[in-house]
Amino acid sequence: MKHPVSIFLTIFLPVIISLLLHSCANIIPPGGGPRDSLPPRLVAAMPKDSATGIDIHTRNIQLVFDEYVTLQSIQENLIISPLLKNIPTIDSKLRNVMIRLRDTLEPNTTYTINFGDAIKDVNEGNIARNFSYVFSTGRTLDRHSYRGKVFLAETGGTDSTLIVVLHHNLADTAIAKERPRYYTRINRKGEFVFSNLPEGSFAAYVLPNDYTKKYDDSTKIFAFLDGPVHVGPDTKTDTFYAYQEAKRKEKTTTGTAAKPTAPAGKDDKRLKYIASLDNGQQDLLSSLQLTFNRKLAAADTTKILLCDTNYHPVAGYTVSLDTSRTKISVDYPWKENTAFRLMMAKEAAIDSSGVTLSKADTIRFYTQKESNYGSIHLQFSNLDLTKNPVLQLIQDNHIVASFPLTAPELKRKLYKPGTYELRILFDANKNGVWDTGKFFNGKRQPERVQLIPTPFNVRGNWDNQAKVNL
């Protein structure tokens, strides 16, 4: 006869185990919590961060973070100051970043390894932005800084692809022949900062971030200061104005792909033009332009007549050929909502091959109504009139109009509707256009342009007013 305990275990134990297993299978673990939004954090380093007295023959540096990390675009992000002759090898594994130096370090020197945005965690991709590791082969760390801003002189904008470089050699030729001692990036606001600099005097420049880091081409964007930078306890803040001394020439393509298409597979040798009319209407504020498909050898302005609807020539208009010899302009003080006829004889234009227009032509058009335009009234505060300011109105990165300012306000009864970017050119030589700078063979800073951050919107048939604080 079985013992009662044995009977209980035989009958009920399997049931109890099944219930327990079923219950365990439905246990819901605790929630994962909020998404990790913190960047990787340095928890250890060998040698330690900000360590001093580091051996100049040190080859390996190990950085340990609080989570698994990876590297992205390391060569584009990495800046080591002072600049090394050989780029170190940098790898990541699990929570570690390993740096293998290939140069013997300089004695009594503070080194900064700035990773930019290269280090990020594996799981969420959080970036340790502008992470830096610092150490010194001397007894102390250099702790001086130098900061400032960089603007593009011609537009007043900024360019975050540029860098600021520092040279110990103060001679002008150093920027063309030597690599810099230090360099740093410029952010989107045009700001830059050097940290952990030694005390001393440096020549400072702005350059593109290319391999050479030298000013060896006048088409490179460049900026310089009128004197050296004195780095110390009270280093001043500087502003650079970058410019291109010479514009890079655009390459022109040759061959059949560059030729305009011609009917029936033959070259179209006809001389043609396009008139700058908008649905047959002429802008009240600009000239009527005729743009030709080839350069003109000559233009007989006496054979281009601006007439009324009775074909009687009007008084006071002028006809001219521009310097590119591809555009003929007809200038006239247009009145609103008025009909005109532009009569062109066949021989009015002739190209270098002796080809003229295929026939005489008459262009019929109307001028636009004044109600299509808006009036503008701009008031400027803190405007220095002694610097010969010129207001520039910009659309699609092109100057569409400029007005020399002789008073702290500008009024125009008629102006073409649209959204405009405003700039102030400080026109040192009073020639009405921006002039570039020059470094070698006579230093000359570029003329400066200040960008007005708020666009100006002109509405048709509206009194458009704005206050501009410089």
Side-chain angles (χ1 to χ4, degrees):
M1 184 174 180
K2 291 185 177 180
H3 193 278
V5 175
S6 177
I7 295 172
F8 175 83
L9 292 175
T10 302
I11 297 174
F12 293 104
L13 185 58
V15 177
I16 294 172
I17 292 173
S18 177
L19 289 173
L20 288 173
L21 288 174
H22 180 74
S23 176
C24 289
N26 287 280
I27 292 176
I28 300 175
R35 178 182 178 273
D36 175 23
S37 60
L38 299 177
R41 183 174 60 88
L42 184 71
V43 294
M46 292 171 286
K48 291 182 179 180
D49 187 23
S50 301
T52 58
I54 301 302
D55 190 339
I56 62 172
H57 299 291
T58 296
R59 286 291 181 267
N60 296 312
I61 298 173
Q62 184 176 3
L63 308 177
V64 183
F65 292 85
D66 61 349
E67 56 185 322
Y68 289 177
V69 294
T70 187
L71 299 174
Q72 61 178 1
S73 305
I74 184 63
Q75 298 305 330
E76 290 80 5
N77 278 280
L78 186 71
I79 294 180
I80 299 181
S81 298
L83 206 60
L84 298 175
K85 292 181 179 179
N86 299 294
I87 299 174
T89 301
I90 302 180
D91 297 304
S92 62
K93 184 178 182 181
L94 301 178
R95 296 191 298 131
N96 304 302
V97 172
M98 289 75 69
I99 306 166
R100 295 176 179 85
L101 301 175
R102 300 165 61 193
D103 290 5
T104 298
L105 302 174
E106 298 179 31
N108 300 313
T109 302
T110 297
Y111 285 87
T112 300
I113 304 178
N114 188 311
F115 287 83
D117 295 341
I119 300 176
K120 65 177 182 178
D121 66 40
V122 171
N123 291 329
E124 300 292 347
N126 298 313
I127 298 173
R129 298 191 183 279
N130 293 314
F131 173 79
S132 291
Y133 168 75
V134 182
F135 65 91
S136 175
T137 57
R139 294 182 178 180
T140 60
L141 288 173
D142 293 324
R143 297 188 180 277
H144 298 301
S145 62
Y146 171 51
R147 64 182 66 238
K149 290 187 175 183
V150 178
F151 296 103
L152 299 176
E154 187 174 7
T155 65
T158 60
D159 186 346
S160 60
T161 67
L162 300 175
I163 58 173
V164 182
V165 302
L166 298 179
H167 280 261
H168 259 320
N169 187 347
L170 302 183
D172 291 349
T173 54
I175 188 60
K177 297 181 177 180
E178 302 174 11
R179 300 192 78 191
R181 178 71 171 171
Y182 301 93
Y183 77 96
T184 191
R185 296 185 187 86
I186 299 168
N187 65 21
R188 293 181 180 180
K189 296 180 180 180
E191 302 165 336
F192 70 87
V193 60
F194 289 90
S195 301
N196 299 102
L197 289 176
E199 188 168 351
S201 295
F202 297 88
Y205 307 98
V206 174
L207 286 169
N209 189 15
D210 59 17
Y211 175 75
T212 67
K213 295 176 176 58
K214 299 176 183 178
Y215 185 46
D216 50 7
D217 183 347
S218 62
T219 64
K220 285 185 176 181
I221 297 177
F222 181 68
F224 64 95
L225 297 176
D226 292 327
V229 175
H230 302 290
V231 175
D234 299 309
T235 310
K236 68 174 184 175
T237 299
D238 284 315
T239 301
F240 293 79
Y241 295 91
Y243 63 91
Q244 272 183 293
E245 183 177 342
K247 297 293 185 180
R248 191 178 299 275
K249 293 182 179 180
E250 297 291 337
K251 292 183 179 180
T252 56
T253 57
T254 58
T256 56
K259 295 180 180 179
T261 56
K266 297 181 180 180
D267 291 336
D268 189 351
K269 297 181 180 180
R270 292 176 296 174
L271 185 61
K272 301 178 181 180
Y273 66 88
I274 298 174
S276 60
L277 298 172
D278 184 7
N279 293 323
Q281 292 186 322
Q282 168 62 30
D283 179 21
L284 295 176
L285 306 175
S286 61
S287 59
L288 171 59
Q289 290 192 338
L290 308 176
T291 303
F292 289 80
N293 59 336
R294 291 192 295 274
K295 284 188 177 182
L296 301 180
D300 189 345
T301 58
T302 64
K303 295 183 178 181
I304 302 176
L305 302 178
L306 181 63
C307 304
D308 59 22
T309 54
N310 294 319
Y311 297 93
H312 296 147
V314 299
Y317 72 93
T318 59
V319 181
S320 59
L321 178 64
D322 77 339
T323 55
S324 71
R325 306 191 72 83
T326 59
K327 293 182 180 180
I328 290 178
S329 297
V330 180
D331 291 284
Y332 183 71
W334 310 107
K335 303 299 181 182
E336 71 159 334
N337 199 27
T338 305
F340 288 92
R341 305 288 185 264
L342 185 69
M343 301 176 63
M344 297 180 61
K346 179 180 178 181
E347 301 80 13
I350 182 171
D351 69 9
S352 58
S353 300
V355 177
T356 64
L357 296 172
S358 57
K359 62 179 180 178
D361 199 4
T362 299
I363 303 174
R364 296 170 173 82
F365 63 93
Y366 280 83
T367 54
Q368 293 195 2
K369 298 178 180 179
E370 287 190 0
S371 59
N372 293 337
Y373 297 81
S375 66
I376 60 175
H377 183 192
L378 296 172
Q379 294 176 299
F380 301 90
S381 57
N382 302 316
L383 178 64
D384 188 350
L385 295 175
T386 65
K387 293 183 178 180
N388 311 313
V390 176
L391 175 66
Q392 297 177 334
L393 282 81
I394 314 296
Q395 282 186 325
D396 299 325
N397 294 320
H398 295 289
I399 300 173
V400 296
S402 60
F403 304 100
L405 298 174
T406 57
E409 66 176 353
L410 174 73
K411 292 182 179 180
R412 285 293 182 273
K413 179 183 177 182
L414 299 177
Y415 207 81
K416 194 173 183 178
T419 299
Y420 298 87
E421 182 182 81
L422 302 181
R423 301 175 190 166
I424 300 292
L425 162 66
F426 296 102
D427 189 16
N429 60 3
K430 300 182 182 181
N431 67 349
V433 296
W434 177 81
D435 291 289
T436 189
K438 188 178 181 66
F439 182 67
F440 295 114
N441 302 319
K443 292 183 180 179
R444 184 184 71 244
Q445 291 286 355
E447 291 182 333
R448 301 173 184 178
V449 172
Q450 184 172 345
L451 175 66
I452 309 302
T454 304
F456 181 50
N457 184 39
V458 178
R459 296 169 57 188
N461 199 27
W462 194 266
D463 184 16
N464 301 275
Q465 301 185 33
K467 293 184 178 180
V468 180
N469 186 22
L470 300 179

